[in-house]
Amino acid sequence: MSCTITSAEFKTYFDRGQFTYGSTVPYVYPEIRDTDITSAIAEALASFNPGLYPDDAKCKQALYYLTAHYLQLDLNAVESRGQSAYIQTSRSADGVSESVSIPDWMNNGEFAFFAATYYGQKYLMLSKPYLDGAVFSVSGGTHP
């Protein structure tokens, strides 16, 4: 199974105004360049497991959305000038209150240094699949 996409396919999939495509990077509202999409695809592929999906169509659909996620994170970073973005944990309406937090696994130990910025959090999310492991126990014995 081959689950890859190109920037042209991405633009065709998201063609209803979700993103503004172009070749310049204005300060107020950035246009998405092909190089931005290619970078987002590479980031998505770094944390993507194509073996989870039964066929190419479903695999590509998931990859489109994961790529869009990374692309939107980059747009948010441009808008916030690289300030860290945290996960919302609660929200109020009338009194306008909001609570945000960093996941515990990012905030503890050696990872805390990276959790201070958006780029560090993104680095941790890209690296997490390689940091975790699975340990299995198999019954049996050995022969001398």
Side-chain angles (χ1 to χ4, degrees):
M1 180 165 72
S2 174
C3 186
T4 58
I5 61 173
T6 65
S7 59
E9 291 172 328
F10 181 89
K11 288 196 264 186
T12 300
Y13 192 83
F14 291 103
D15 68 344
R16 296 190 52 88
Q18 297 95 327
F19 300 102
T20 303
Y21 304 113
S23 59
T24 62
V25 186
Y27 179 74
V28 179
Y29 191 80
E31 291 181 348
I32 306 299
R33 302 169 300 157
D34 285 345
T35 56
D36 299 325
I37 297 169
T38 302
S39 294
I41 291 170
E43 291 171 352
L45 286 171
S47 60
F48 185 71
N49 182 357
L52 294 175
Y53 306 97
D55 55 50
D56 281 351
K58 288 181 179 59
C59 185
K60 283 186 175 190
Q61 184 178 28
L63 186 55
Y64 285 131
Y65 281 102
L66 185 59
T67 300
H69 171 74
Y70 279 105
L71 196 56
Q72 187 61 53
L73 286 176
D74 289 340
L75 291 173
N76 293 348
V78 168
E79 190 174 301
S80 70
R81 302 183 65 83
Q83 293 298 313
S84 186
Y86 302 111
I87 297 170
Q88 184 179 41
T89 57
S90 68
R91 173 183 257 178
S92 297
D94 237 3
V96 186
S97 175
E98 178 184 51
S99 296
V100 295
S101 71
I102 298 173
D104 286 339
W105 70 268
M106 278 188 188
N107 222 8
N108 294 328
E110 65 275 7
F111 299 133
F113 172 76
F114 299 105
T117 67
Y118 157 80
Y119 300 105
Q121 290 175 19
K122 194 168 182 182
Y123 162 75
L124 287 175
M125 290 308 299
L126 287 169
S127 302
K128 182 140 174 63
Y130 307 107
L131 299 173
D132 295 339
V135 177
F136 298 98
S137 172
V138 177
S139 63
T142 60
H143 296 288

